[in-house]
Amino acid sequence: MLLKKISAVMVIFAGLIIATSLFASEPLTFKADDSYIKFSGVQNKKTEFNGQFQSFEPIIVFDKNNLAQSSIRVEVDLASVESGSEKRDGMLLKSNWFDIENTPQGLFISENIELMNEGQYKVSGVLTIKGNSQPVTLFMNYVELGGLIELSAN
């Protein structure tokens, strides 16, 4: 299944820089210019490549002291993919990859966030691409940077 191959190599919300929120029930504000989603893939079972999505919208409610009320939702505009090759980018938009004509958005929704070690969390959720959903577990790092929080996961 293509979705399984894609999700196995995607790096989800790697490097989101967000401003802290006063209340955990409010979504954190992310800094788009300093945030990215990168992924790796294999083309034709032999050529490895890296890419990233230029357009995505995370909604993150995160309180390290109240993980039960924390959540992560990231919607990705799959048409914003860039892999360093215009030809490959065109192929990624087609039905054998992201099929943006029929399913222009990818979506990750967390179901559970648990503390592993100080600053390290296990995020279980569902990744949906091309209408196919499957469980995904990400390992997230949390770093406070003087009024900002960096979340990185893979």
Side-chain angles (χ1 to χ4, degrees):
M1 171 183 273
L2 180 61
L3 175 63
K4 191 170 191 173
K5 292 177 191 172
I6 293 170
S7 67
V9 295
M10 282 187 88
V11 178
I12 307 296
F13 58 88
L16 288 178
I17 305 291
I18 54 183
T20 58
S21 174
L22 296 175
F23 305 100
S25 61
E26 295 179 10
L28 300 169
T29 304
F30 87 108
K31 295 178 68 178
D33 292 342
D34 296 325
S35 301
Y36 54 86
I37 296 178
K38 294 184 177 185
F39 68 95
S40 299
V42 178
Q43 185 176 13
N44 300 325
K45 298 182 182 180
K46 61 182 176 182
T47 306
E48 293 183 16
F49 67 93
N50 297 311
Q52 68 181 42
F53 295 100
Q54 300 300 315
S55 179
F56 56 94
E57 185 66 37
I59 299 173
I60 300 171
V61 177
F62 186 77
D63 180 347
K64 65 182 181 180
N65 298 314
N66 189 357
L67 295 177
Q69 295 300 312
S70 297
S71 64
I72 299 171
R73 175 188 170 95
V74 181
E75 190 169 311
V76 179
D77 176 7
L78 298 175
S80 72
V81 69
E82 289 185 4
S83 69
S85 163
E86 285 186 36
K87 183 177 180 181
R88 181 175 37 241
D89 291 350
M91 295 299 294
L92 291 172
L93 302 177
K94 297 184 185 229
S95 63
N96 58 331
W97 278 90
F98 294 126
D99 191 19
I100 63 150
E101 186 174 313
N102 295 306
T103 56
Q105 303 295 319
L107 180 65
F108 174 80
I109 300 175
S110 67
E111 295 180 331
N112 186 51
I113 301 173
E114 65 181 270
L115 178 66
M116 302 296 290
N117 295 303
E118 185 63 33
Q120 297 178 330
Y121 299 84
K122 180 179 174 182
V123 181
S124 302
V126 175
L127 176 64
T128 303
I129 298 175
K130 292 176 59 170
N132 296 309
S133 299
Q134 73 177 43
V136 174
T137 300
L138 305 171
F139 295 93
M140 180 179 80
N141 293 312
Y142 170 96
V143 179
E144 293 184 26
L145 303 166
L148 298 176
I149 298 171
E150 178 182 54
L151 299 178
S152 60
N154 58 26

